[in-house]
């Protein structure tokens, strides 16, 4: 299939580009390079041995998406572009609503105008808020606690209404749990700007000596060791989930949502120990107060994706730690190190 991938130079997007190409699809990228670098495209080309066209532009701009969609007969779009920092979204709500929702609206309008009505959307487990029970299934209540999560929830509603109004639309929203790790080549990986918000890139930078120690946000949660439990999913498994989704779009009319997770929970302390084992480096840490908005436990029931899409995570947290360490060691300053 001819696929337009937005956000294709980002962490999830670059791994998804590799997975799509390796599955035999033709991929064109659209990215505003707001949170990533064009070097990522060269890395995707090195991994796949293929030329990957990149349009640098804003998918929230109607003229841009109309121009790009007019350049070739795309079969589907995978929409990964978006602002994604929870904390930042609470400080800059209008920027998040404008950017993330304008992109979905502009993209869908341009897709409709060009007769492209197959879409895979990057959603997030954050739409479940603080779940009553775990593991989480797709039919559980949705509630959001921050503007970033709200943009994902609202985008899913937009897509559901669009698909309900026009049965020609086939849309799958993928609710990512916690992506971690890097491509085993060590050529692409997570390359956050500034201080990482998320646990694993922070642990990686502490192990590399780029940061002095990890702050563990609370050790008094009702969990086995008191620290937060999450469903950490290898980013290559996540990327392959997009391939499974796009290849099932034809038989999935309407709007469908799927959890992409391992179905297993891992705590912060377990994550630290796993990374120390993978890197052979100590990860010093200090327990501090809980981070506002954090939930104790969140992990997926991924059985719907396995049933309908034939997708199941196969890589472990330990494997993700090894791959993340290989990426960090080969790129001590991220993609900026050339
Ligand atoms: C994981 C655990 C923290 C950092 C977020 C977004 C979610 C999605 C994934 C986009 C928690 C603890 C973390 C640190 C710590 N992003 N932690 N010290 O919060 O589950 O999910 O990223 O879709 O939308 O909410 O991930 O990696 O930030 O935190 O102790 O320096 O690690 O308390 O228990 P989270 P996270």
């Amino acid at each position: 299939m001819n696929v337009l991938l937005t956000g294709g130079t980002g962490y999830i997007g670059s791994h998804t580009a590799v997975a799509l190409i390796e599955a035999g699809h033709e991929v064109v990228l659209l990215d505003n390079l707001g949170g990533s670098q064009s070097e990522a495209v060269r890395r995707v080309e090195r991994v796949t041995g293929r030329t990957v066209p990149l349009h640098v532009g804003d998918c929230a701009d109607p003229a841009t998406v109309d121009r790009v969609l007019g350049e070739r007969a795309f079969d589907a779009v995978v929409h990964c572009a978006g602002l994604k920092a929870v904390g930042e979204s609470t400080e800059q709500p209008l920027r998040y609503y404008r950017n993330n929702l304008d992109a979905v609206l502009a993209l869908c309008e341009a897709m409709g105008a060009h007769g492209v009505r197959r879409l895979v959307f990057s959603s997030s487990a954050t739409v479940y808020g603080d779940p009553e029970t775990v593991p989480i299934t797709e039919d559980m209540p949705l509630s959001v606690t921050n503007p970033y999560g709200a943009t994902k929830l609202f985008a899913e509603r937009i897509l559901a209404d669009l698909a309900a109004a026009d049965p020609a639309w086939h849309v799958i929203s993928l609710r990512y749990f916690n992506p971690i790790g890097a491509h085993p080549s060590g050529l692409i990986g997570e390359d956050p700007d500034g201080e990482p918000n998320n646990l694993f890139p922070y642990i990686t930078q502490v192990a590399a000596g780029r940061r002095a120690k990890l702050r563990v946000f609370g050790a008094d949660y009702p969990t086995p060791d008191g620290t937060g439990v999450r469903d950490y999913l290898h980013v290559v498994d996540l990327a392959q989930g997009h391939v499974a989704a796009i290849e099932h779009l034809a038989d999935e009319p309407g709007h469908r949502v799927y959890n992409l997770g391992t179905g297993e929970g891992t705590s912060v302390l377990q994550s630290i120990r796993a990374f120390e084992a993978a890197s052979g480096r100590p990860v010093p840490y200090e327990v501090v107060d809980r981070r506002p908005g954090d939930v104790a436990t969140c992990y997926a029931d991924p059985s719907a994706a396995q049933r309908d899409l034939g997708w199941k995570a196969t890589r472990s947290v330990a494997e993700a730690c090894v791959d993340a360490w290989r990426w960090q060691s080969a790129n001590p300053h991220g993609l900026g190190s050339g």
Side-chain angles (χ1 to χ4, degrees), residues 183-271:
H183 189 269
S185 66
L187 287 171
I188 53 177
E190 191 162 14
D191 183 24
D193 283 336
E195 184 177 66
N197 297 304
N198 296 134
L199 178 67
F200 268 82
Y202 207 107
I203 287 178
T204 304
Q205 292 187 10
V206 170
R210 288 174 62 182
R211 304 213 179 256
K213 65 182 170 185
L214 172 75
R215 292 165 301 159
V216 174
F217 296 143
D220 59 349
Y221 283 102
T223 62
D225 64 19
T227 63
V229 171
R230 297 292 185 274
D231 186 332
Y232 295 108
L233 173 69
H234 196 298
V235 67
V236 173
D237 278 330
L238 177 64
Q240 291 174 351
H242 293 73
V243 177
I246 206 162
E247 293 178 349
H248 281 78
L249 273 174
D251 41 284
E252 291 265 340
H255 177 244
R256 300 281 187 280
V257 297
Y258 292 99
N259 290 337
L260 292 191
T262 65
E264 291 176 21
T266 302
S267 76
V268 176
L269 293 181
Q270 287 172 320
S271 304

Side-chain angles (χ1 to χ4, degrees), residues 79 97 100-105 108 119-129 136-144 147-165 169-177 254-260:
H79 180 40
Y97 285 118
N100 288 3
L101 295 181
D102 273 8
V104 171
L105 293 168
C108 288
L119 172 65
V120 173
F121 172 62
S122 165
S123 189
S124 167
T126 203
V127 301
Y128 295 112
I136 298 172
T137 53
E138 288 84 351
D139 59 349
M140 284 174 69
L142 305 180
S143 72
V144 286
Y148 161 75
T151 69
K152 293 300 185 181
L153 187 58
F154 297 167
E156 286 192 15
R157 177 59 195 267
I158 290 166
L159 297 172
D161 289 346
L162 176 60
W169 281 89
H170 294 209
V171 183
I172 288 178
S173 289
L174 298 175
R175 292 174 179 167
Y176 303 169
F177 279 70
H255 177 244
R256 300 281 187 280
V257 297
Y258 292 99
N259 290 337
L260 292 191

